[in-house]
Amino acid sequence: MIPVRRLTPDAFAPFGDVIAVDGAPDMIINQGKCGRFHDRATLAFDDARAGVSLFKAECRALPYELDLLERHPLGSQCFIPMTDDPFLVITAPDNGGIPDTPVAFITDGTQAINFHKNTWHGVLTPLSGSGLFAVIDRIGDGPNLEEHWLATPFLITKD
C-alpha cells in the first residue's frame, strides 16, 4: 500500500513543480489590483511548441488501484485544475528505464502541478468535482508517450 502525502514543493521537487500562490506576490500589476505570482513552473519541450488543451477526467476514489504509469520523454506536462477540488498526484522515480516505487500526493484544492520531462506519473486522477483541467504540454511530432503497466498493482490509500 502507498499512503497519500500532502503535496508540498519540497516533497514534489524530484518530479516537478507545485504551482501555488504561496506567500506574497512577486509583483503587483493592473493598477495595483492584481498580484502576479511569477514563473512558477519550468516548462520544457524538445523540438516542439507548448499547447493548451482541456482534459475532462472521470473522478476516482480512494483507495485507488494503480496499475499504469506513463511518462513523456520529450516534454513537461502541466495540470491546472479548473475547480478548487483536491486531486491525486502519483509519480515515481526512474529505475533504469522503468518506474520505481510510486509516491502519491494530494493537492489542497488550490495547487496545480507540472511534471518534469521524462517523469513517471499516474493518469489524471480527480477525486471530486468536474474533473476539468487545463493542460499545458508539448505539441509536436515524435513519440512523447511511454506507458508502463505494473505486473502487481499498488493500492493508494488515504492514510
Side-chain angles (χ1 to χ4, degrees):
M1 285 196 311
I2 295 178
V4 174
R5 304 179 190 179
R6 189 173 63 88
L7 181 68
T8 66
D10 287 341
F12 195 66
F15 312 108
D17 309 299
V18 174
I19 305 165
V21 291
D22 297 334
D26 298 294
M27 59 188 84
I28 303 298
I29 59 173
N30 297 161
Q31 300 170 310
K33 304 278 187 206
C34 180
R36 179 174 174 157
F37 295 81
H38 184 69
D39 199 19
R40 295 293 167 127
T42 303
L43 303 175
F45 309 105
D46 289 356
D47 300 324
R49 65 180 178 83
V52 176
S53 303
L54 298 178
F55 287 21
K56 188 162 178 78
E58 282 186 35
C59 290
R60 313 290 180 101
L62 293 173
Y64 171 73
E65 187 174 283
L66 174 69
D67 58 0
L68 170 69
L69 290 163
E70 64 181 33
R71 67 179 173 179
H72 307 281
L74 303 178
S76 56
Q77 195 173 42
C78 179
F79 291 89
I80 305 165
M82 297 182 72
T83 65
D84 59 359
D85 298 296
F87 63 101
L88 189 61
V89 178
I90 303 167
T91 188
D94 184 72
N95 184 5
I98 61 170
D100 209 334
T101 304
V103 180
F105 300 95
I106 190 163
T107 69
D108 67 9
T110 68
Q111 299 164 309
I113 57 103
N114 177 58
F115 289 117
H116 288 164
K117 178 171 72 165
N118 215 29
T119 296
W120 290 109
H121 63 85
V123 299
L124 185 56
T125 313
L127 298 173
S128 62
S130 69
L132 187 60
F133 289 76
V135 177
I136 303 168
D137 63 357
R138 180 184 181 278
I139 306 296
D141 294 331
N144 193 34
L145 173 63
E146 183 179 343
E147 294 181 333
H148 182 84
W149 289 89
L150 300 170
T152 304
F154 288 93
L155 189 64
I156 309 296
T157 62
K158 189 165 184 168
D159 331 278

